Amino acid sequence: MLKHTEIKDLVKLSLQEGETRPVTVKGWVRTKRGNKHVAFIALNDGTCVQSLQVVAELQTEEKPDGFGDELMKKITTGACLCVEGNLVKSMGKGQNVEIQARNIVVYGEANPDTYPLQKKGHSLEFLREIAHLRPRTNTFGCVLRLRHAMAYALHQFYHERGFVYLHTPIITGSDCEGAGEMFQVTTLDLDKLPKTPEGSVDFSKDFFGKSTKLTVSGQLEGELGAMALSKIYTFGPTFRAENSNTPRHLAEFWMNEPEMAFYEIEDNMDLAEDFLKHLTSYALENCMDDLKFLNDMYDKSLIERLEHVQKMTFERITYTTAVDVLKAANAKFEYPVEWGVDLQSEHERFLVEHHYKKPVIITDYPKEIKSFYMKQNADGKTVRGMDVLFPQIGEIIGGSQREEDLDKLLNRIHELNMPEQAYWWYLDTRRFGTAPHSGFGLGFERLLLFITGMTNIRDVIPFPRYPQNAEF
Amino acid sequence: MLKHTEIKDLVKLSLQEGETRPVTVKGWVRTKRGNKHVAFIALNDGTCVQSLQVVAELQTEEKPDGFGDELMKKITTGACLCVEGNLVKSMGKGQNVEIQARNIVVYGEANPDTYPLQKKGHSLEFLREIAHLRPRTNTFGCVLRLRHAMAYALHQFYHERGFVYLHTPIITGSDCEGAGEMFQVTTLDLDKLPKTPEGSVDFSKDFFGKSTKLTVSGQLEGELGAMALSKIYTFGPTFRAENSNTPRHLAEFWMNEPEMAFYEIEDNMDLAEDFLKHLTSYALENCMDDLKFLNDMYDKSLIERLEHVQKMTFERITYTTAVDVLKAANAKFEYPVEWGVDLQSEHERFLVEHHYKKPVIITDYPKEIKSFYMKQNADGKTVRGMDVLFPQIGEIIGGSQREEDLDKLLNRIHELNMPEQAYWWYLDTRRFGTAPHSGFGLGFERLLLFITGMTNIRDVIPFPRYPQNAEF
């Protein structure tokens, strides 16, 4: 049935002068220009950033069988066409081939008075308001194809290394994941909330028989998987109900969390470095046209930066060394550095962009600024956390070796006044057949900021969710 | 750092008699048996269904350097070990190789009095209650590895065909997807709900400035993607708040929805058939050990059924033909069949298992029993829906060609008294550059029931969510 050819399979062809190839293409009009005799239509089907030039000879006295006015009026920016014709070598600049139209069917018009995506450039802010149409622009075509490529490369990376993709739950009954504010999930009728005798909401009447939230991380469940299958990874949506209107926060975003039994912190660092290099190489090897477009339009150092990261051996330092370097630095920081404080973005960027001039992995943080589950070092002060810092992005990966000792983990839980009972299933992994293990989390949109050069996280996810916005 | 070998890379090796290979393996004890002189420990690391036999010579008067009592007491079912030794050809039945232990480190013990997974078989019901530990059983190891394999094969299938993986939103502001009851998502304080002057809940104070729900389908957003990028697919969690305690319903499950511009219903059927055959072939070619285990333990016709489906050309019939066949059938149905009624599971199974004896695709359903967005046929009565029916499972895929004509779509929306305004962005795809397009949805857990032979959908997802259950 299908008998059209995708534009990505045509634009790279090299034809000889005089060689013709009959083809049918389908896509959306990007631009139309021309004169009384001929129209040049740029047709794009979203399979690549390039448009294919359609040459349509117009009806004139000398050419009575040319394309007529009535049809040509319907061919405006945004219209959807099916074009049959001959593919030939193009004499135009910047394109290998073009199609000489023999027959054009207009599937759908796009009224120039109301279609929002006219020829002129649009601001990214405006395009966010029409996120249902912005995938039709070159910019979002590139971003979404790169998003696909990175997701595919991610699955490929883990699959080839024997990891099992584990779907951890989105709806969670434990509001103790500790990574931020959470969304409530309920089927209770908010206009008629059932109450307990004490007057609070009676969640025993809710769908799950208790209060439930949207997950902020699949790590704890991921550890359950790793302690059975050896190596697992998650890749799915996660949620933060923080009221942050910044270019770096989303209420709904995708996260990847590998978790590996028998991996110690060094193995974890090796995996993270291999992983980020694999993703970067994949983009450079498979998506160069899209990268070039974004490099030219948004960030002239994008490709150079990707190549740099891909070649470099990441610097590995402890938090203590990082603090020493920062204190000795001849630089002015807004936030002063002292051993024990959390590093700020300015510090991270100084280390990566000015001092080491390459990605940096920092390990062995003070236990007070890291999560309860990180493996405690013998010094009693630090834990085996690890953050991978990237140029421009800052922290792109955060991970750790996990505390596998039940008593040490329980002590930390008690020190932090956390509800031990809520973690019964998590603690069971330490109670029964515990083992050294490690893992990390990659914010997928953070990665995409790095890969695409975009600067607002709302522009690297198809339909962003943030305060006051859940349209589409 | 890492220097152990995964058990899946050892169990298939063929060694000569007398040949030895030094190896280190890590994993969990499944069973231990033996006598005064030697212990045989079955060690499994979750990378394959097979366990590796560890042979440990015990300390005796004749063998003073054998493994001592103190160590051996810690080696019980569920304990985690690191074993160094020599891999040799095994004289035992059912295994190629075994490891003669030289050194054993116990990473984690598992108290036999409290560890729930003892040697004896456990019911699937019991294992559901300890879903945090059940991945350590052979059954759930097989199921989870197959789940991974099917997810990977899915991505591979679409990627190779040029589809873009589109992450459609989980939190949705439109409660009009029309596929069932939905979960409310909110950050409002349920104990102090803000009210409008009229006394209803004031969702303008909620996180997104309006009432939001968990998605039941990414299709409508998927169509936005297809009308820009040509071919997209979604793969992510979806939600139904139906209070159904059946072996076929989950509150949270994974769905795959491809959507293709320029595909008509026949192309859609071709894609669905290729897709299901690809998945089935992938399982048969890459997961035979896991399939064999499930075939032997749960469903003796599993592999035969997979091979049958993979070889067969699916039968393609219209709904009208299906009704004719059912009416002419010499079979007793609980629900009588008349043109216009929705087919029941008993009818679907009759067609697939008794009449055609192969998968069946039914198309052109009465418009009254199908969704508003399906393309209307010229007869005014039927729409271009398509359901793919499988043996044992019933409907495994549901899809359609979509109505691309704005006026026809609007008419149907009005006929059904749906709120047109809520669909403004969806209707824009028909308003601007509309085109023929099609797509379908695959319930991933339905597929896994077919692939694994399991009969309860709660057993093919790691941490099932259903009424009264959101544990782990």
Side-chain angles (χ1 to χ4, degrees), chain A residues 260-288:
Chain A
M260 300 76 66
F262 316 125
Y263 274 50
E264 308 206 5
I265 186 78
E266 293 81 5
D267 312 310
N268 207 18
M269 287 194 271
D270 290 346
L271 187 78
E273 182 167 344
D274 286 354
F275 178 52
L276 291 168
K277 285 178 171 170
H278 171 84
L279 296 175
T280 309
S281 300
Y282 189 97
L284 288 167
E285 283 163 24
N286 297 280
C287 314
M288 194 44 102

Side-chain angles (χ1 to χ4, degrees), chain B residues 329-397:
Chain B
N330 200 356
K332 252 193 129 144
F333 297 119
E334 195 186 337
Y335 296 90
V337 177
E338 274 308 323
W339 199 97
V341 305
D342 214 351
L343 300 182
Q344 300 293 321
S345 174
E346 56 174 343
H347 308 135
E348 295 177 346
R349 294 189 65 159
F350 178 85
L351 292 169
V352 172
E353 291 164 27
H354 299 285
H355 190 80
Y356 293 105
K357 295 186 170 52
K358 53 172 158 165
V360 175
I361 310 183
I362 303 185
T363 58
D364 300 290
Y365 284 84
K367 67 177 177 180
E368 285 75 17
I369 61 173
K370 288 290 182 188
S371 298
F372 74 98
Y373 51 70
M374 293 194 183
K375 186 175 173 70
Q376 298 159 34
N377 281 320
D379 63 13
K381 295 192 301 183
T382 59
V383 291
R384 289 199 192 158
M386 100 184 181
D387 285 355
V388 183
L389 311 181
F390 256 38
Q392 305 235 344
I393 306 298
E395 184 194 323
I396 194 165
I397 275 180

Side-chain angles (χ1 to χ4, degrees), chain B residues 5-7 9-16 18-25 52-54 84-90 96-102:
Chain B
T5 307
E6 294 182 355
I7 288 173
D9 295 329
L10 298 176
V11 289
K12 299 275 182 180
L13 291 178
S14 294
L15 297 187
Q16 299 299 316
E19 192 182 350
T20 69
R21 193 175 296 195
V23 290
T24 302
V25 293
L52 182 65
Q53 176 159 286
V54 177
E84 279 177 84
N86 285 319
L87 196 75
V88 299
K89 183 179 172 72
S90 174
N96 285 345
V97 292
E98 61 189 26
I99 177 171
Q100 292 174 329
R102 198 170 48 240

Side-chain angles (χ1 to χ4, degrees), chain B residues 142-373:
Chain B
C142 289
V143 167
L144 292 174
R145 284 187 297 270
L146 279 162
R147 189 175 168 108
H148 163 76
M150 290 299 92
Y152 191 71
L154 181 158
H155 285 297
Q156 191 184 54
F157 177 84
Y158 290 115
H159 176 75
E160 284 172 358
R161 283 158 185 78
F163 285 65
V164 172
Y165 183 19
L166 190 78
H167 289 128
T168 50
I170 306 302
I171 298 173
T172 175
S174 47
D175 57 356
C176 49
E177 291 168 1
E181 290 177 66
M182 299 170 85
F183 289 99
Q184 185 83 32
V185 174
T186 182
T187 56
L188 293 176
D189 181 345
L190 299 192
D191 284 318
K192 291 180 256 173
L193 282 175
K195 300 276 174 146
T196 63
E198 293 75 36
S200 55
V201 177
D202 185 1
F203 286 111
S204 74
K205 301 280 197 317
D206 208 347
F207 189 90
F208 296 106
K210 61 178 173 182
S211 171
T212 50
K213 308 282 174 87
L214 289 180
T215 186
V216 293
S217 162
Q219 179 197 318
L220 302 192
E221 289 90 354
E223 288 188 47
L224 304 177
M227 298 305 279
L229 303 167
S230 283
K231 294 184 300 195
I232 65 91
Y233 68 104
T234 71
F235 183 50
T238 44
F239 304 85
R240 297 286 150 83
E242 276 156 49
N243 197 1
S244 305
N245 257 306
T246 81
R248 294 168 62 84
H249 290 88
L250 288 168
E252 174 181 324
F253 56 99
W254 280 63
M255 183 118 91
N256 161 235
E257 299 181 290
E259 189 73 35
M260 300 75 66
F262 316 125
Y263 273 51
E264 308 205 5
I265 186 79
E266 293 81 3
D267 311 310
N268 207 19
M269 286 193 272
D270 290 346
L271 187 78
E273 183 167 344
D274 286 353
F275 178 52
L276 291 168
K277 285 177 170 169
H278 171 84
L279 295 175
T280 309
S281 300
Y282 189 97
L284 288 166
E285 283 163 25
N286 296 280
C287 312
M288 194 45 103
D289 290 342
D290 291 333
L291 290 176
K292 272 186 184 149
F293 178 86
L294 296 171
N295 191 88
D296 291 350
M297 298 296 286
Y298 292 97
D299 180 348
K300 299 275 191 263
S301 60
L302 172 63
I303 292 173
E304 195 188 319
R305 206 163 55 246
L306 296 182
E307 285 169 345
H308 178 75
V309 158
Q310 194 241 326
K311 278 197 303 254
M312 280 296 181
T313 300
F314 296 5
E315 190 71 28
R316 299 180 182 193
I317 59 172
T318 64
Y319 168 88
T320 302
T321 301
V323 169
D324 290 346
V325 167
L326 291 165
K327 288 178 82 166
N330 200 356
K332 252 193 129 144
F333 297 119
E334 195 186 337
Y335 296 90
V337 177
E338 274 308 323
W339 199 97
V341 305
D342 214 351
L343 300 182
Q344 300 293 321
S345 174
E346 56 174 343
H347 308 135
E348 295 177 346
R349 294 189 65 159
F350 178 85
L351 292 169
V352 172
E353 291 164 27
H354 299 285
H355 190 80
Y356 293 105
K357 295 186 170 52
K358 53 172 158 165
V360 175
I361 310 183
I362 303 185
T363 58
D364 300 290
Y365 284 84
K367 67 177 177 180
E368 285 75 17
I369 61 173
K370 288 290 182 188
S371 298
F372 74 98
Y373 51 70

Side-chain angles (χ1 to χ4, degrees), chain A residues 1 6 45 230-231 267, chain B residues 1 6 45 170 230-231 267:
Chain A
M1 288 283 138
E6 294 182 354
D45 64 3
S230 284
K231 294 183 300 194
D267 312 310
Chain B
M1 290 286 139
E6 294 182 355
D45 65 3
I170 306 302
S230 283
K231 294 184 300 195
D267 311 310

Side-chain angles (χ1 to χ4, degrees), chain A residues 1-2 4 6 26-28 45-47 78-80 107-111 114-116 129 132-133 135-136 141 144-145 147-148 151-152 155-156 159 163-173 182-187 190-191 193 199-201 203 206-210 212 214 221 224 226-231 233 235 237 239-243 251-252 254 261-263 266-267 282 424-425 428-429 431-436 444 462-463 465-472, chain B residues 1-2 4 6 26-28 45-47 78-80 107-111 114-116 129 132-133 135-136 141 144-145 147-148 151-152 155-156 159 163-173 182-187 190-191 193 200-201 203 206-210 212 214 221 224 226-231 233 235-237 239-243 251-252 254 261-263 266-267 282 424-425 428-429 431-436 444 462-463 465-472:
Chain A
M1 288 283 138
L2 281 176
H4 67 284
E6 294 182 354
K26 302 181 177 184
W28 292 268
D45 64 3
T47 61
C80 188
Y107 282 140
E109 300 175 46
N111 184 338
T114 52
Y115 186 58
E129 287 167 26
H132 64 310
L133 296 174
R136 297 185 184 190
L144 292 173
R145 284 187 296 271
R147 191 177 166 105
H148 163 75
Y152 191 71
H155 285 297
Q156 191 185 54
H159 177 75
F163 285 65
V164 171
Y165 183 19
L166 190 78
H167 288 128
T168 50
I170 307 301
I171 297 173
T172 174
M182 299 171 84
F183 289 99
Q184 184 83 31
V185 174
T186 182
T187 56
L190 299 193
D191 284 319
L193 282 175
S200 54
V201 177
F203 286 111
D206 207 347
F207 190 90
F208 296 106
K210 61 177 170 180
T212 50
L214 290 180
E221 289 89 353
L224 304 177
M227 298 305 281
L229 303 166
S230 284
K231 294 183 300 194
Y233 69 105
F235 183 49
F239 304 86
R240 297 285 150 84
E242 276 156 50
N243 198 2
E252 174 181 323
W254 280 62
F262 316 125
Y263 274 50
E266 293 81 5
D267 312 310
Y282 189 97
W424 70 272
W425 46 271
D428 266 5
T429 54
R431 202 167 272 130
F432 304 119
T434 191
F444 191 57
F463 304 99
R465 266 75 181 104
Y466 47 90
Q468 305 300 314
N469 200 295
E471 198 57 78
F472 315 110
Chain B
M1 290 286 139
L2 281 177
H4 67 282
E6 294 182 355
K26 302 182 178 184
W28 291 268
D45 65 3
T47 60
C80 187
Y107 283 140
E109 300 175 48
N111 184 339
T114 51
Y115 186 58
E129 288 168 26
H132 64 309
L133 295 174
R136 297 185 185 189
L144 292 174
R145 284 187 297 270
R147 189 175 168 108
H148 163 76
Y152 191 71
H155 285 297
Q156 191 184 54
H159 176 75
F163 285 65
V164 172
Y165 183 19
L166 190 78
H167 289 128
T168 50
I170 306 302
I171 298 173
T172 175
M182 299 170 85
F183 289 99
Q184 185 83 32
V185 174
T186 182
T187 56
L190 299 192
D191 284 318
L193 282 175
S200 55
V201 177
F203 286 111
D206 208 347
F207 189 90
F208 296 106
K210 61 178 173 182
T212 50
L214 289 180
E221 289 90 354
L224 304 177
M227 298 305 279
L229 303 167
S230 283
K231 294 184 300 195
Y233 68 104
F235 183 50
F239 304 85
R240 297 286 150 83
E242 276 156 49
N243 197 1
E252 174 181 324
W254 280 63
F262 316 125
Y263 273 51
E266 293 81 3
D267 311 310
Y282 189 97
W424 69 273
W425 46 270
D428 266 6
T429 53
R431 203 167 271 129
F432 304 120
T434 191
F444 190 58
F463 304 99
R465 267 75 182 104
Y466 49 90
Q468 304 300 313
N469 199 296
E471 199 57 76
F472 314 109

